Amino acid sequence: MAQSDDGSRFRWLVVGLWLVVVALLAGLSAFSADTLSAARAYVGGESHWSKGQKDAIYHLYRYSESHDALDYRRHLAALAVSQGDRLARLELDKPVPDMAVVRRGLLQGGNHAEDIDSMARLYRRFRHVGFMAEAIRTWAEGDAQMDELSALGRDMHARILAGDNGSPQLRSLVRRIPPLSERLTELGMRFSGSLGEASRITRQLVTATTLGLGALLAAASVWLTMRMHHAQRRTEQALRESDERLATAAEGAHIGVFDWDVEHDRVQLDARAAAHFGVDADPGSRNGTQLSADRVDPADLPTLHAALARAVNGDELVELRFRVLWRDGRVRHLEMNARRRQVDGRRAVGLLWDVSDDVEAEQLRLDKEAAERANLAKTQFLSRVSHELRTPLNAVLGFAQLLQTDAHEPLTNRQAVRLQHVLDSGQHLLELINDLLDLTSIEDGALALSNREVPLAPALGASLRQVEPLALSMGVTLAIEGAQALAVHADPRRLEQVFATLLSNAVRYNRPGGRAWVVCAEEGARVVVTVHDTGVGIEAGKLAQLYQPFNRLGAENTPVPGSGLGLVITRLLLQRMGATMSIESEVGRGTRVRVSLPLARVVRQETALEGR
């Protein structure tokens, strides 16, 4: 009894020590995480501060040259970032800071709302410690320099408002900007460096403390192991009989356990195994034949009985998957691992788990592969049929054109009209076949694109010329704006095809005497080309159906020709070229198609960087 009390006392002592170490580790981790997060937030805030001061200097430069009030307002807006940080710093220096003022200032400085509390704690805790004190001094010096920049901007603004267009005094003010910019940049780098050093010191301290506490915990574990080793040996004999069942359960993830007495046809199921069979849990044994007949799929009964016979007659692990039928009509798939129970050779013990989800996933995979094979077969069939149709169709169109131009045997007016119907229908069919070939070549990956730098203006001009005859016949005005000096990364021929399709739609679905125009603009690393028209527009509920092949959204009942494949092919081509397309439309007002393409000069810059 004394030994038991002694062991218990030791165990509680080690557990208490372990809890203390864990609590210390948790507190240390929380403190270090808070400190490192705040340091990271200050470094991020410095990036906003640096960007603000650079934007302020940039717009002040522009203002000195343009005298545009908008540039001065942008200069003031950029200064607001540092002014917000300064407001927060001054408030944090007070004995009892107003956190509402601190929060307002740091938010104005571009800091994330969730970082503000930790930033304030870091400032208040360590403002007199070396690394933080140095950073704060740098911060204050930076604010002073920003005040100088603000005063410089006000002086320039006053002179410009007074009509000064380049006096020596104004030029003198402009010459003060570069050294001020260099000083501000240096201060920003010094601030980030101070906080970076703080982060490294904090990490080293946390690592050393963690290792020390870990060593203490390891020593306590060894001590506890030695003290409990004697008690463990006394329990080994009692646990040996149950180890065999536990080891078998461990092989199959410990889900459902069964014990099947094959000789007497009795089976015991734990609660999870009973649930897998769809029967109520019963601590006693039940009739194995009745359970199999009631629950196991009749087609799987022979294999189940054979697996149980192999388990009791051999030493290997028997695996089987079979189906069970629940009372509600559902079919579940079970996996079974079984082997002979060593203490009684005519009994099989094992595991059961439900693999219905795996079976369904496998079936879905097989169905998906079958669908992909069917889709590929469809694509290949359409491609072959389109190729086969195009050759005789070209012959039909060629001979029809010969009949139309035969001067020796001229056609009557009625024959000419009928022949023109043949040509129009044949041309429409040829366009449909060409669209099908494009679609199938894209879907099966056979379409090769040579993406390179393409000047935008010539490509748009070529596309516009393709639709000019149609536009003239409908009285639609065409125009291109802002394409000069822009280049994109794309396949030149397919790019012309894309915009020819979009311009053709803008003309065909326009109103007589309407307008269709293209506006080009550079947006960061992209070029956005927007095709506008003043046509009938598309109902909002139909926009989601635009990319369904052969779906013309009711236009098939109008005189406007088409196949319903143009936009499908256009979007696929743009995706292959790294571009995107979006469509906005308003019934009665027109449609806007926005195409975003990679800017070619950006691609060149990235390529140059990769080559270094």
Side-chain angles (χ1 to χ4, degrees):
M1 190 66 177
Q3 290 180 350
S4 176
D5 291 342
D6 183 65
S8 176
R9 185 167 56 252
F10 275 115
R11 283 195 296 272
W12 281 111
L13 178 61
V14 174
V15 169
L17 178 62
W18 181 81
L19 291 175
V20 170
V21 172
V22 169
L24 288 174
L25 285 174
L28 182 62
S29 298
F31 176 81
S32 62
D34 186 72
T35 302
L36 294 175
S37 176
R40 183 266 309 156
Y42 272 112
V43 173
E46 188 278 329
S47 67
H48 293 297
W49 187 89
S50 297
K51 183 179 184 303
Q53 65 94 0
K54 292 183 185 301
D55 288 345
I57 289 173
Y58 170 77
H59 290 298
L60 190 57
Y61 260 127
R62 284 182 57 91
Y63 181 59
S64 68
E65 296 173 358
S66 67
H67 295 182
D68 187 349
L70 178 60
D71 288 326
Y72 184 69
R73 289 196 298 272
R74 289 173 175 167
H75 163 73
L76 294 178
L79 286 175
V81 175
S82 64
Q83 292 168 352
D85 289 337
R86 177 183 180 179
L87 175 65
R89 176 178 62 80
L90 294 176
E91 188 65 27
L92 286 169
D93 282 334
K94 296 179 180 179
V96 182
D98 185 345
M99 287 306 298
V101 176
V102 173
R103 178 173 293 274
R104 185 169 66 252
L106 291 178
L107 286 175
Q108 183 177 330
N111 297 281
H112 196 282
E114 294 182 2
D115 291 333
I116 291 176
D117 291 340
S118 62
M119 293 172 73
R121 286 193 294 270
L122 177 65
Y123 190 103
R124 298 287 294 177
R125 288 170 180 168
F126 300 104
R127 56 180 169 168
H128 300 303
V129 179
F131 73 89
M132 194 64 191
E134 175 63 22
I136 292 173
R137 284 194 295 271
T138 304
W139 187 353
E141 188 176 351
D143 286 341
Q145 296 292 321
M146 291 299 288
D147 288 342
E148 183 177 347
L149 176 63
S150 177
L152 179 61
R154 289 194 299 272
D155 291 342
M156 291 176 60
H157 183 53
R159 286 191 167 276
I160 291 172
L161 286 179
D164 189 343
N165 291 322
S167 69
Q169 292 81 359
L170 181 59
R171 290 196 298 272
S172 175
L173 292 175
V174 174
R175 284 194 296 273
R176 289 171 57 191
I177 298 177
L180 188 57
S181 175
E182 293 177 1
R183 179 59 177 161
L184 286 167
T185 300
E186 177 188 352
L187 291 171
M189 294 177 63
R190 190 196 303 171
F191 181 86
S192 296
S194 299
L195 291 176
E197 180 64 20
S199 298
R200 288 188 289 274
I201 293 173
T202 303
R203 187 184 67 244
Q204 292 170 0
L205 291 174
V206 170
T207 301
T209 306
T210 302
L211 290 175
L213 292 175
L216 179 61
L217 185 61
S221 300
V222 171
W223 183 41
L224 177 62
T225 301
M226 295 177 64
R227 296 293 302 177
M228 298 182 67
H229 180 65
H230 181 67
Q232 180 181 351
R233 285 187 299 180
R234 290 199 305 265
T235 59
E236 284 180 352
Q237 184 62 36
L239 293 174
R240 188 168 294 122
E241 185 175 347
S242 62
D243 280 345
E244 187 174 336
R245 178 175 293 183
L246 292 175
T248 304
E251 297 180 32
H254 306 278
I255 299 180
V257 180
F258 69 90
D259 186 338
W260 204 306
D261 184 345
V262 177
E263 183 175 1
H264 300 95
D265 196 22
R266 304 296 298 177
V267 60
Q268 286 184 318
L269 304 174
D270 69 356
R272 286 169 295 181
H276 292 327
F277 271 102
V279 297
D280 297 331
D282 186 350
S285 63
R286 64 186 79 210
N287 185 283
T289 300
Q290 183 178 355
L291 176 67
S292 301
D294 291 343
R295 287 289 176 262
V296 179
D297 189 304
D300 295 338
L301 269 177
T303 55
L304 174 62
H305 292 156
L308 292 171
R310 290 200 310 274
V312 298
N313 292 326
D315 291 329
E316 78 277 5
L317 182 69
V318 176
E319 299 177 355
L320 177 67
R321 179 174 292 183
F322 59 96
R323 291 162 294 181
V324 296
L325 309 176
W326 285 8
R327 288 193 179 94
D328 58 7
R330 283 185 292 170
V331 178
R332 307 300 295 174
H333 296 261
L334 301 185
E335 188 93 10
M336 179 187 78
N337 280 356
R339 67 170 13 139
R340 182 175 61 183
R341 184 177 178 183
Q342 298 300 322
V343 296
D344 187 347
R346 297 302 300 169
R347 300 179 68 161
V349 294
L351 306 172
L352 285 172
W353 64 94
D354 193 318
V355 294
S356 300
D357 292 341
D358 295 339
V359 172
E360 291 177 5
E362 177 66 14
Q363 187 59 47
L364 287 176
R365 184 187 66 81
L366 295 174
D367 292 343
K368 179 176 177 291
E369 291 177 354
E372 289 174 348
R373 289 194 298 270
N375 185 60
L376 178 61
K378 178 267 297 180
T379 300
Q380 293 172 345
F381 171 76
L382 287 176
S383 179
R384 286 194 294 267
V385 169
S386 299
H387 276 291
E388 294 298 327
L389 287 175
R390 190 161 58 173
T391 300
L393 183 58
N394 282 328
V396 171
L397 291 174
F399 279 112
Q401 290 167 351
L402 287 176
L403 288 173
Q404 197 177 45
T405 59
D406 190 348
H408 296 291
E409 297 182 13
L411 301 173
T412 65
N413 290 336
R414 177 176 291 183
Q415 290 173 333
V417 170
R418 292 173 175 172
L419 186 61
Q420 188 61 47
H421 286 310
V422 173
L423 285 170
D424 291 343
S425 299
Q427 190 62 40
H428 176 68
L429 182 57
L430 182 60
E431 292 174 359
L432 175 60
I433 291 173
N434 289 334
D435 286 345
L436 281 173
L437 285 173
D438 277 345
L439 182 62
T440 55
S441 62
I442 295 172
E443 287 183 343
D444 64 13
L447 181 67
L449 298 181
S450 77
N451 288 349
R452 58 179 182 270
E453 182 178 331
V454 181
L456 191 55
L460 287 174
S463 301
L464 186 143
R465 286 191 292 274
Q466 294 182 42
V467 299
E468 272 183 342
L470 178 62
L472 287 173
S473 67
M474 295 187 62
V476 175
T477 304
L478 297 175
I480 298 176
E481 302 173 11
Q484 299 299 327
L486 288 176
V488 298
H489 197 68
D491 182 284
R493 186 170 73 85
R494 295 299 180 175
L495 187 64
E496 291 181 12
Q497 178 183 346
V498 163
F499 286 114
T501 299
L502 296 179
L503 284 168
S504 175
N505 286 346
V507 171
R508 285 187 297 154
Y509 296 100
N510 215 315
R511 55 182 174 80
R515 293 175 57 233
W517 69 101
V518 180
V519 178
C520 307
E522 182 178 340
E523 293 185 4
R526 313 285 291 182
V527 171
V528 176
V529 182
T530 307
V531 181
H532 302 258
D533 68 61
T534 58
V536 297
I538 305 170
E539 296 177 10
K542 293 183 177 181
L543 284 175
Q545 307 173 36
L546 276 175
Y547 304 112
Q548 296 176 359
F550 303 106
N551 188 350
R552 298 192 60 206
L553 307 182
E556 63 274 10
N557 300 320
T558 67
V560 180
S563 63
L565 293 175
L567 282 180
V568 178
I569 295 171
T570 296
R571 186 171 71 160
L572 291 174
L573 287 174
L574 287 172
Q575 289 174 350
R576 290 287 302 277
M577 292 187 286
T580 60
M581 180 176 71
S582 61
I583 298 178
E584 299 174 357
S585 188
E586 187 175 351
V587 176
R589 298 290 297 276
T591 301
R592 294 167 302 283
V593 182
R594 189 176 186 271
V595 176
S596 176
L597 294 149
L599 184 62
R601 64 176 175 81
V602 174
V603 173
R604 288 201 302 273
Q605 289 174 2
E606 292 175 353
T607 304
L609 290 173
E610 291 173 359
R612 292 180 182 176

